[in-house]
Amino acid sequence: METRKRRNIGIIAHVDAGKTTTTERILYYTGEQHRLGEVHDGAATMDFDPQEQARGITINSAATTVFWRDHQINLIDTPGHIDFNIEVNRSLRVLDGAVVVFDGVAGVEPQTETNWRLADKYRVPRIAFVNKLDRVGADFFRVVEMIEQRLDVVPLVLQLPIGAEGDFRGLVDLVAMQALVWTTADAEPYESLPIPADMLEMALRYRQLLVELAVEQDDALLSRYLDGHLPSLEELQRCIRKGTLSGTFVPVVLGSAFKNKGVESLLDAMVAYLPAPEEIEQDIGTDVDKPFAALAFKVVHDDHGILTFVRVYRGQLEAGSTVLNANTGKRERVSRLYEMHADRKQERQSVRAGDIAAFSGLKATATGETLTDPDHPLVLERIVAPEPVIDVAIEPKTREDQQNLFKGLHTLVQEDPSLRLRQDHDSGQTILSGMGELQLEVTLEKLRSRYRVEVSSSKPQVAYRETFVKMVEVRHVYKKQTGGPGQFAEVLLRFEALPRGAGVQFENRISGGAIPREFIPSVESGIRNAAKNGVLAGYPTVDFKATLLDGSYHDRDSSTLAFEQAATAAFREAVAKAGPALLEPVMAVEVVTPTDHVGDCIGDINRRRGLVRGQELRGSRAVIDAYVPLEEMFGYIGSLRALSSGRASFTMQFDHYEVVPGNMTAEWVA
């Protein structure tokens, strides 16, 4: 199929906004499946993992291909839970467009906002789909207002709802100026009818706003419009498409996926307004005739080996070809190519620019690495995984499980780059780190079900960090004499604090050959290795810069090991001098509660060292936004239910690291 008739689109949303149900309806209406899969029955096609079916949530992103109006749509359904945000991150990195699903009652929720910012980062054009308009408390216009205010975008309303809540039965298409009405909740086609008389005035008003925003994308069309000429349907759609692709505005459509309303018009909007691969700006271009280049964005292990999900950006590739991993310099053979339909594979003989496919046969390619023609290497922007905020210590219950445990952990960490694995420096324990309790729980269950490993685990612990408080300079001389050649290295290093999230940076300012160039990487390596286990409490040290200012060496006794040891010792001495600080993860928490429990909820947040940022009404309920240290959030759901007679709920996601108060640091480190 022509590239211009192809769409690579992700479905993203906050958990429980109806994202997977929307995807299931897309599969049904495009003819990809012939029955309606329901999430609550554990029968959703895209949630094929046993844990997804048991929990009723999406854990893994799943890809499929459908066809609509003579267009091919490569679709990725992503998780909505913050613990699995890496799936959204790596999907958006390789997609050309996205449909953001909003709950018609809740509106813009925390994870929606996080996903929206990720889409901003990758410059992904979007359509907003306001879902669940059949629910009690649903308010389309309030959600549109929230989109404008919270996401700081211009919403372009393309449709208006006909009826509300239980009486929601259709929509007014403001582009074609007609009503689409569904007479039953079954998946029957809509009827095209005249706009209801009682909605005509509102429809004309919103249509005028739509046209005015759209024609600004075309100077000639705008000039004609100001002279009184209305744009044709084709001209209007062309302008909407241009504004969507440039990010000038975000088209807003609506429906109720569960009640089978609005899905066909959503598909029409995806085809009409989201980009083809060739319309997305890429530094390397999207030419099929140029040398092959692709990005591996996901790795999974199935019963037949490793499957590597790939987005092809340039050129084409045949099954059996050899590719170069441009990040590692290793060559690998692609034995088979597949088009994925959730957990079903359809073999293909070739792929080309714009395709999303799965490769088998790759043994040493990780998430975010670039695959290219061996004679034309280049490196694409990598996918950066977030830093974990919660740890759990694990060990096998029997000695026989030891080997399977490490094999399983290696595989799971390869599949999910937001997981981290390390050995505790003092206790020797295996520490698994992740984004939240649910992610770690799911990972341990995978060890049991996929690898038959029974593990013992500690209670989840906060993943603290350490950092520098002030700038210090340290000179350290490493000197060791044995029977033969000795070891000598001298370094002068400056350490200084950096802003939160800056990580570890190293700068070399050696001049005049005080230290030979071949020893400089060893200095950096010594610092980075030492930073993995901080001096204060053994947590990784972050957010600092180390600058190598001066040093000396010995022609015979200096070595890479000596400079690494000197740098390690200098780091530890510097931390002690600088007065290290303990950092703790702080979560952005949103509490939704009946208004008569607001005071109790705020009081409880304050007792947890939280900071209330604001509150607002959302229908009949109050929404409290706060920052709360993760340490204080363990067991929070039980307390919240007790405070609100079980009527309140909350969501949280990592926001930033903050220095732990001095008195608490002394208590925890003691």
Side-chain angles (χ1 to χ4, degrees):
M1 179 170 286
E2 299 172 72
T3 308
R4 67 182 181 85
K5 290 194 172 183
R6 196 174 305 164
R7 303 287 182 270
N8 293 316
I9 294 172
I11 309 291
I12 60 176
H14 186 91
V15 65
D16 204 33
K19 170 180 46 56
T20 298
T21 299
T22 301
T23 307
E24 292 296 315
R25 296 306 186 264
I26 287 173
L27 293 178
Y28 179 82
Y29 281 105
T30 57
E32 180 59 30
Q33 66 184 34
H34 302 291
R35 63 180 182 83
L36 296 172
E38 303 294 2
V39 175
H40 57 272
D41 292 335
T45 303
M46 303 299 276
D47 286 350
F48 55 84
D49 185 280
Q51 286 207 65
E52 294 177 317
Q53 294 170 353
R55 297 171 186 271
I57 61 170
T58 301
I59 295 171
N60 308 295
S61 58
T64 192
T65 298
V66 298
F67 293 87
W68 183 257
R69 309 268 194 237
D70 197 30
H71 283 68
Q72 176 182 325
I73 302 174
N74 298 322
L75 201 64
I76 295 183
D77 178 35
T78 64
H81 199 288
I82 183 60
D83 284 19
F84 310 107
N85 190 243
I86 182 62
E87 296 285 345
V88 184
N89 191 335
R90 58 185 172 187
S91 296
L92 284 172
R93 169 64 182 85
V94 299
L95 290 167
D96 302 324
V99 173
V100 185
V101 182
F102 295 84
D103 185 315
V105 180
V108 179
E109 299 174 274
Q111 186 58 20
T112 315
E113 193 165 351
T114 299
N115 291 342
W116 193 275
R117 302 306 174 206
L118 272 175
D120 284 342
K121 173 184 174 182
Y122 293 122
R123 301 183 298 280
V124 177
R126 277 142 276 176
I127 289 175
F129 177 59
V130 183
N131 191 30
K132 298 189 175 184
L133 288 179
D134 60 302
R135 294 285 186 90
V136 174
D139 187 334
F140 172 75
F141 299 100
R142 179 171 55 80
V143 176
V144 172
E145 184 179 352
M146 291 176 75
I147 291 172
E148 181 174 20
Q149 294 177 351
R150 289 198 177 190
L151 304 179
D152 194 27
V153 296
V154 177
L156 185 72
V157 175
L158 303 187
Q159 300 169 354
L160 299 174
I162 300 176
E165 300 181 343
D167 188 41
F168 172 68
R169 60 190 183 279
L171 57 89
V172 173
D173 180 347
L174 296 171
V175 179
M177 284 303 280
Q178 64 180 6
L180 310 182
V181 177
W182 289 264
T183 54
T184 71
D186 297 327
E188 298 294 329
Y190 57 79
E191 291 184 50
S192 295
L193 301 171
I195 297 172
D198 61 345
M199 291 191 66
L200 189 56
E201 183 181 346
M202 179 192 292
L204 289 170
R205 188 169 71 252
Y206 273 89
R207 161 77 176 194
Q208 182 178 350
L209 291 172
L210 163 63
V211 173
E212 288 175 354
L213 275 172
V215 296
E216 288 180 356
Q217 300 302 305
D218 186 313
D219 291 341
L221 205 57
L222 175 61
S223 178
R224 285 169 47 204
Y225 176 71
L226 294 174
D227 288 337
H229 298 281
L230 291 176
S232 67
L233 178 63
E234 292 74 19
E235 289 171 331
L236 188 57
Q237 289 179 325
R238 177 168 50 79
C239 288
I240 295 171
R241 181 182 187 82
K242 184 177 179 182
T244 305
L245 268 55
S246 66
T248 305
F249 45 67
V250 176
V252 183
V253 296
L254 59 89
S256 168
F258 182 62
K259 293 296 179 65
N260 309 302
K261 296 178 173 67
V263 180
E264 304 103 304
S265 52
L266 170 61
L267 280 161
D268 288 339
M270 289 160 64
V271 166
Y273 307 128
L274 290 179
E278 62 197 21
E279 294 175 292
I280 295 297
E281 287 187 20
Q282 298 288 344
D283 293 339
I284 63 170
T286 56
D287 196 329
V288 174
D289 298 322
K290 288 187 176 180
F292 177 79
L295 186 75
F297 68 93
K298 182 172 180 173
V299 177
V300 299
H301 293 69
D302 64 10
D303 295 338
H304 305 290
I306 300 173
L307 270 184
T308 306
F309 285 73
V310 167
R311 163 66 194 266
V312 182
Y313 283 101
R314 193 178 72 184
Q316 49 193 329
L317 189 77
E318 304 286 329
S321 300
T322 296
V323 295
L324 174 72
N325 184 321
N327 297 92
T328 65
K330 295 180 179 178
R331 296 188 179 214
E332 296 211 67
R333 183 176 178 271
V334 180
S335 56
R336 285 186 170 86
L337 307 172
Y338 297 105
E339 183 179 285
M340 298 302 297
H341 297 275
D343 59 339
R344 292 187 296 108
K345 301 193 288 278
Q346 181 178 330
E347 192 162 353
R348 295 179 54 174
Q349 294 306 307
S350 64
V351 292
R352 55 187 290 164
D355 279 341
I356 290 177
F359 292 3
S360 70
L362 303 182
K363 300 283 194 298
T365 295
T367 294
E369 292 181 342
T370 304
L371 301 172
T372 69
D373 181 298
D375 296 326
H376 300 84
L378 61 90
V379 177
L380 298 169
E381 179 188 356
R382 295 198 68 151
I383 297 167
V384 179
E387 285 297 313
V389 296
I390 190 167
D391 297 339
V392 64
I394 57 176
E395 60 183 25
K397 287 188 175 180
T398 66
R399 187 183 297 272
E400 291 74 23
D401 281 337
Q402 185 82 29
Q403 186 173 351
N404 283 341
L405 171 64
F406 286 105
K407 177 184 176 184
L409 285 173
H410 174 76
T411 298
L412 294 174
V413 170
Q414 187 182 16
E415 290 184 348
D416 185 348
S418 66
L419 290 172
R420 300 283 198 283
L421 198 60
R422 63 181 173 88
Q423 295 293 121
D424 184 82
H425 184 70
D426 297 320
S427 68
Q429 288 180 306
T430 300
I431 306 296
L432 181 67
S433 305
M435 300 306 298
E437 290 182 85
L438 179 59
Q439 183 194 28
L440 295 180
E441 185 184 315
V442 166
T443 302
L444 295 181
E445 182 55 38
K446 286 180 179 178
L447 282 173
R448 298 184 184 102
S449 60
R450 285 168 57 175
Y451 300 98
R452 303 290 187 265
V453 177
E454 289 297 324
V455 296
S456 299
S457 60
S458 66
K459 291 177 63 176
Q461 303 289 323
V462 173
Y464 292 99
R465 298 287 184 265
E466 299 179 21
T467 194
F468 285 80
V469 173
K470 60 184 179 182
M471 184 174 71
V472 293
E473 288 188 8
V474 171
R475 182 182 294 275
H476 185 86
V477 178
Y478 179 77
K479 190 184 295 185
K480 192 173 182 182
Q481 191 66 47
T482 59
Q487 294 284 343
F488 177 85
E490 180 184 10
V491 293
L492 174 62
L493 286 158
R494 181 171 67 215
F495 294 87
E496 55 193 309
L498 292 176
R500 297 290 161 261
V504 177
Q505 298 178 15
F506 175 80
E507 183 182 352
N508 171 33
R509 287 195 184 173
I510 291 293
S511 60
I515 298 176
R517 280 189 302 177
E518 61 265 27
F519 295 140
I520 304 300
S522 299
V523 176
E524 180 177 2
S525 177
I527 293 167
R528 291 188 181 277
N529 287 333
K532 292 176 181 177
N533 297 100
V535 173
L536 185 62
Y539 297 108
T541 305
V542 298
D543 301 342
F544 71 91
K545 180 179 179 180
T547 305
L548 179 59
L549 301 172
D550 197 5
S552 65
Y553 72 103
H554 189 280
D555 285 334
R556 189 180 56 156
D557 292 347
S558 290
S559 67
T560 55
L561 177 62
F563 275 97
E564 187 169 331
Q565 295 287 353
T568 297
F571 169 82
R572 295 191 175 281
E573 186 180 337
V575 172
K577 281 186 176 181
L582 198 63
L583 298 173
E584 64 178 338
V586 176
M587 313 302 283
V589 179
E590 181 182 272
V591 178
V592 182
T593 177
T595 54
D596 48 344
H597 296 294
V598 169
D600 292 334
C601 291
I602 289 178
D604 187 55
I605 288 171
N606 290 334
R607 284 190 291 274
R608 294 172 185 273
R609 297 192 288 127
L611 172 66
V612 175
R613 296 187 292 162
Q615 56 178 298
E616 64 180 16
L617 285 176
R618 186 181 293 168
S620 61
R621 296 189 161 232
V623 179
I624 304 166
D625 285 317
Y627 287 139
V628 187
L630 176 59
E631 175 71 32
E632 308 293 342
M633 291 302 293
F634 290 109
Y636 180 61
I637 186 61
S639 300
L640 185 63
R641 285 172 178 162
L643 285 172
S644 64
S645 302
R647 298 170 64 199
S649 62
F650 83 100
T651 57
M652 70 175 183
Q653 59 188 42
F654 170 71
D655 193 87
H656 64 281
Y657 270 92
E658 202 166 275
V659 174
V660 174
N663 60 326
M664 302 191 73
T665 299
E667 180 184 324
W668 291 344
V669 172

